[in-house]
Amino acid sequence: MTALVIGGAGYVGSHVVHALLDRGEPVVVVDDLSSGHRETVPAAAHFVQADMADSVRMARVCAEHAVDAALCFAGKIEVGESVKDPRRHWRTNVGGTVALLEGLLDARVPHFVFSSTAAVYGTPEVVPIPDDATERPTNPYGATKLAVERMLGAYADAYPLAYTALRYFNAAGADPARGLGERHDPETHLIPNAIRAALGLRGPLEVFGDDWPTPDGTCVRDYVHVSDLADAHVLALAALRRGECPRAMNLGSTAGSSVNEVIGTVEHLSGKVVPRRYVARRPGDPAVLVAASARATTALGWQPSRSTLDRIVGDALAWHANPLAR
Ligand code: UFG
């Protein structure tokens, strides 16, 4: 049994690769290195530089390594970019995943774990958002992830494929002891941007709106530690292999933090001021996204034990002390 990790040189994928290897799982990483980092792939994993849309190559890699499960992290993730330039999100997230599934089905890979997102819900009717809330994405990023989930549902009904879509809320934090952290180019996410502003590695943080209908006027998000997300993938893979995994699950901490609270935590833990300016709202942002992750708790026994804001920001700060983070 070998796990194929597509996008395994990226932020969440690299943490999952390490978590799988920790449990003795043979791992093959596929990454085109368009945004991933080769040096995060440990020597214990076999590395293939390839595009997931190359279905023939994907089928061959699966056959060569006796792959029984694929986990897909590859894709475009920036909400703002998805609004301004949606075709790249549709091409990569939908087109790329459709092609990947061609290869996986041809190779008869029976298990698939898909990185989905809270963005499938759009503006929630109920907070915390339950696992069975109505999906109404408000931006193309969320729409592309929901489209893939729908495709997977049809495929699993028709073909010998069991899958789960893990709907991440805000992946954050790092594993500084392993040199793993969040390194996007350009970086659009709040916590690394706030840290970089505090350390003088960028200009002032832009806070996107202080007139939201939230207690302090800034957006509220559910930050979940990336190592907790990695645990959930390992548990989901085991559940799929047992034949008892739900098709979609939220992965969040059930706690919401505002942008101002995140900034306060960065300032407190770093002892530095986060220079900032308040600007207009970012198109596509909902005011509040907080998860109820009941299904992951019940079906997987998942507990996001590291997902406090102090632990997340503390680990991210420690990662930023690493020269690789610069
Ligand atoms: N924000 C700022 N300034 C920044 C960056 C972000 O004010 O420089 C604000 C955003 O407006 C938002 C919050 O900080 O209110 C968090 O923004 P992020 O860009 O860090 O994260 P998002 O909530 O936009 O998106 C992330 C992932 C998505 C996922 C979503 C689910 O990138 O893939 O979480 O909650 F869908």
Side-chain angles (χ1 to χ4, degrees), residues 77-79 116-120 141 168-171 182 187-194 202 205-209 212 218-223 259 282 285-287 289:
I77 58 164
E78 301 88 21
V79 171
S116 190
T117 171
V120 298
Y141 167 65
Y168 312 160
F169 281 62
N170 286 59
E182 189 168 8
E187 187 53 76
T188 60
H189 292 100
L190 176 63
I191 292 177
N193 277 346
R202 52 158 286 155
L205 175 74
E206 291 191 327
V207 177
F208 300 129
W212 294 93
T218 63
C219 284
V220 170
R221 292 288 181 275
D222 183 342
Y223 296 92
V259 173
R282 185 173 63 178
D285 269 344
L289 277 177

Side-chain angles (χ1 to χ4, degrees), residues 56-81:
V56 173
R57 187 141 182 228
M58 293 302 104
R60 200 170 60 228
V61 169
C62 290
E64 279 168 8
H65 295 273
V67 167
D68 83 309
L71 300 90
C72 182
F73 300 90
K76 306 292 296 171
I77 58 164
E78 301 88 21
V79 171
E81 185 200 332

Side-chain angles (χ1 to χ4, degrees), residues 19-301:
L20 290 167
L21 290 169
D22 283 350
R23 282 141 184 100
E25 181 99 31
V27 173
V28 176
V29 171
V30 168
D31 202 299
D32 66 1
L33 299 182
S34 59
S35 56
H37 306 283
R38 175 69 180 87
E39 66 278 10
T40 64
V41 181
H46 183 80
F47 179 70
V48 179
Q49 184 171 353
D51 184 343
M52 67 175 167
D54 185 346
S55 347
V56 173
R57 187 141 182 228
M58 293 302 104
R60 200 170 60 228
V61 169
C62 290
E64 279 168 8
H65 295 273
V67 167
D68 83 309
L71 300 90
C72 182
F73 300 90
K76 306 292 296 171
I77 58 164
E78 301 88 21
V79 171
E81 185 200 332
S82 84
V83 176
K84 286 195 204 109
D85 187 15
R87 62 197 280 188
R88 296 182 68 203
H89 275 71
W90 282 93
R91 185 172 64 232
T92 305
N93 295 1
V94 179
T97 314
V98 168
L100 169 68
L101 263 293
E102 289 293 301
L104 299 180
L105 290 173
D106 286 349
R108 298 190 162 68
V109 174
H111 305 119
F112 188 67
V113 181
F114 179 61
S115 292
S116 190
T117 171
V120 298
Y121 293 117
T123 304
E125 283 161 6
V126 182
V127 178
I129 305 171
D131 297 280
D132 59 358
T134 308
E135 299 95 348
R136 273 196 213 98
T138 49
N139 55 60
Y141 167 65
T144 62
K145 290 288 184 175
L146 184 58
V148 172
E149 286 198 25
R150 297 258 154 88
M151 172 188 80
L152 289 170
Y155 282 18
D157 288 343
Y159 309 126
L161 176 78
Y163 79 96
T164 189
L166 300 179
R167 295 173 172 173
Y168 312 160
F169 281 62
N170 286 59
D175 186 347
R178 288 182 146 150
L180 302 178
E182 189 168 8
R183 189 157 43 116
H184 298 112
D185 184 19
E187 187 53 76
T188 60
H189 292 100
L190 176 63
I191 292 177
N193 277 346
I195 290 173
R196 293 175 68 82
L199 300 180
L201 297 172
R202 52 158 286 155
L205 175 74
E206 291 191 327
V207 177
F208 300 129
D210 59 358
D211 56 352
W212 294 93
T214 59
D216 69 15
T218 63
C219 284
V220 170
R221 292 288 181 275
D222 183 342
Y223 296 92
V224 55
H225 197 292
V226 63
S227 298
D228 286 335
L229 290 182
D231 287 349
H233 287 76
V234 172
L235 293 166
L237 184 53
L240 279 174
R241 285 175 172 154
R242 288 196 307 271
E244 49 190 44
C245 195
R247 288 186 171 184
M249 279 176 277
N250 289 345
L251 296 180
S253 74
T254 72
S257 305
S258 72
V259 173
N260 279 343
E261 285 169 335
V262 169
I263 293 169
T265 306
V266 172
E267 292 187 329
H268 174 68
L269 294 180
S270 67
K272 296 180 194 305
V273 170
V274 175
R276 60 187 174 272
R277 52 198 190 91
Y278 289 84
V279 298
R281 294 179 179 189
R282 185 173 63 178
D285 269 344
V288 179
L289 277 177
V290 177
S293 303
R295 217 176 259 169
T297 307
T298 310
L300 305 182

